[in-house]
Amino acid sequence: MSQSAHPPVLAEVIRSGFTEGRHHGSLVLLAADGSVEFALGDPDAPVFPRSTAKPFQAVATLRAGLAIEGELLALAASSHSAESFHLDGVRTILGSAGLDESALRTPADLPLDETEAELLLGAGGRRAPILMDCSGKHAGWLAACVANGWDTGSYLDPAHPIQELAREALAEGTGETPVHTGVDGCGAPLLAVTLTGLARGYRSLVLAAEGTTQRRVADAMRAHPEYVAGTRRADTWLMRAVPGALSKMGAEAVQVVALPDGRALAFKIDDGAERARGPVLAAALRRLGVTGADDTVERIGAAPLLGGGAPVGEVRAAF
């Protein structure tokens, strides 16, 4: 698709039988051999991967020499819901390095999960850096800094050793040199790559040899999906329902999934609409040939529209 062409419609908003709106974007599906099987829009245009970059950032944490495994490694690659076990894990990672929450440079935030946010506010709680969904990643980076004697105050500087390792891991996984550097919502460096590169990067994580840093991250995430997301999140449901699947969301409606045989998908909704993520993901999974998890795929794809508190329509995939 040329840059001047309008991106295709990935999802439609249907209310009372009337098309109320449309969400445009780009999508790519890879076959098991890594070739492009299906594409919409321009998946070879650079995008900010947002939190779909976290598995590669966790690879950097391991390559910095931090001894972390299991659910804590999954948490280092997470966009967590700030459930109690997530917060306990973040404190454990920090405590192992002699640090506490004050070392985090994540902005004070409410839990990403609406239920957790309501519970917190109802109990008189308030925004805090540890509640921000990226605090697990930041805790891992901080612990790696302590292990190496690196400065912890500047760990978000793009020139910091931990960020250089993160850039290298993303470039290696995607096979691309990032074309632009920005700042993510958590304050970390944000590197632009293509959707095709992201899909191939996740494919490389699940197909990596056992014992490599890439495979250790993928295995930890797949073994402990609740730590990657939360108990009420689509990434968790998918990784539980489809053995060997690696799934990660990112802000602005970016999504990447890889299956253990090498099939993979990546997409971005141009306007960042979260309501379109589930329907597009479900349709992409079906087109990719995911079987045996029909109830979960249907659950992920459900996006009803309400009128007077009752369903009157839906957001649905348009491909």
Side-chain angles (χ1 to χ4, degrees), residues 105 142 150-156 160:
R105 292 193 60 198
L142 282 163
W150 296 335
D151 179 57
T152 57
S154 61
Y155 75 94
L156 295 182
H160 192 283

Short mmCIF file of all heavy atoms in Angstrom, two decimals, residues 105 142 150-156 160:
data_model
loop_
_atom_site.label_atom_id
_atom_site.label_comp_id
_atom_site.label_asym_id
_atom_site.label_seq_id
_atom_site.Cartn_x
_atom_site.Cartn_y
_atom_site.Cartn_z
N ARG A 105 11.47 4.63 38.06
CA ARG A 105 11.24 5.90 37.37
C ARG A 105 10.00 5.82 36.48
O ARG A 105 9.83 6.62 35.56
CB ARG A 105 12.48 6.27 36.55
CG ARG A 105 13.67 6.63 37.44
CD ARG A 105 14.77 7.29 36.65
NE ARG A 105 14.31 8.53 36.02
CZ ARG A 105 14.95 9.13 35.01
NH1 ARG A 105 16.06 8.59 34.52
NH2 ARG A 105 14.47 10.23 34.50
N LEU A 142 16.58 -2.25 36.72
CA LEU A 142 17.27 -1.71 37.89
C LEU A 142 18.13 -2.77 38.58
O LEU A 142 19.27 -2.51 38.97
CB LEU A 142 16.26 -1.13 38.87
CG LEU A 142 15.69 0.25 38.52
CD1 LEU A 142 14.42 0.52 39.29
CD2 LEU A 142 16.74 1.32 38.78
N TRP A 150 26.20 -0.47 37.37
CA TRP A 150 25.81 0.64 36.51
C TRP A 150 24.94 1.64 37.29
O TRP A 150 24.25 1.27 38.24
CB TRP A 150 25.01 0.14 35.30
CG TRP A 150 25.77 -0.76 34.38
CD1 TRP A 150 27.13 -0.81 34.20
CD2 TRP A 150 25.21 -1.76 33.51
NE1 TRP A 150 27.45 -1.76 33.26
CE2 TRP A 150 26.29 -2.35 32.82
CE3 TRP A 150 23.92 -2.19 33.23
CZ2 TRP A 150 26.12 -3.37 31.88
CZ3 TRP A 150 23.73 -3.20 32.30
CH2 TRP A 150 24.82 -3.78 31.63
N ASP A 151 24.95 2.86 36.83
CA ASP A 151 24.15 3.91 37.49
C ASP A 151 22.66 3.59 37.39
O ASP A 151 22.16 3.26 36.30
CB ASP A 151 24.45 5.25 36.83
CG ASP A 151 23.64 6.38 37.45
OD1 ASP A 151 23.75 6.57 38.67
OD2 ASP A 151 22.88 7.04 36.70
N THR A 152 21.96 3.66 38.49
CA THR A 152 20.52 3.39 38.49
C THR A 152 19.68 4.63 38.24
O THR A 152 18.51 4.52 37.88
CB THR A 152 20.09 2.76 39.83
OG1 THR A 152 20.44 3.65 40.91
CG2 THR A 152 20.75 1.42 40.04
N GLY A 153 20.27 5.80 38.39
CA GLY A 153 19.51 7.03 38.19
C GLY A 153 19.29 7.36 36.73
O GLY A 153 18.35 8.08 36.39
N SER A 154 20.14 6.83 35.86
CA SER A 154 20.06 7.18 34.44
C SER A 154 19.71 5.97 33.57
O SER A 154 19.99 5.96 32.38
CB SER A 154 21.40 7.76 33.96
OG SER A 154 22.45 6.81 34.12
N TYR A 155 19.07 4.95 34.16
CA TYR A 155 18.85 3.71 33.42
C TYR A 155 17.90 3.87 32.23
O TYR A 155 17.84 2.98 31.37
CB TYR A 155 18.37 2.60 34.35
CG TYR A 155 16.93 2.69 34.82
CD1 TYR A 155 15.90 2.02 34.15
CD2 TYR A 155 16.58 3.42 35.95
CE1 TYR A 155 14.58 2.08 34.59
CE2 TYR A 155 15.28 3.48 36.41
CZ TYR A 155 14.28 2.82 35.73
OH TYR A 155 12.97 2.88 36.17
N LEU A 156 17.17 4.98 32.13
CA LEU A 156 16.29 5.21 30.99
C LEU A 156 16.95 6.02 29.88
O LEU A 156 16.33 6.25 28.83
CB LEU A 156 15.02 5.91 31.45
CG LEU A 156 14.13 5.11 32.40
CD1 LEU A 156 12.87 5.89 32.75
CD2 LEU A 156 13.77 3.76 31.80
N HIS A 160 22.47 4.48 28.03
CA HIS A 160 22.80 3.64 29.18
C HIS A 160 23.08 2.21 28.69
O HIS A 160 22.44 1.75 27.74
CB HIS A 160 21.65 3.65 30.18
CG HIS A 160 21.98 3.06 31.51
ND1 HIS A 160 22.05 1.70 31.72
CD2 HIS A 160 22.28 3.64 32.70
CE1 HIS A 160 22.36 1.46 32.98
NE2 HIS A 160 22.51 2.64 33.60
#
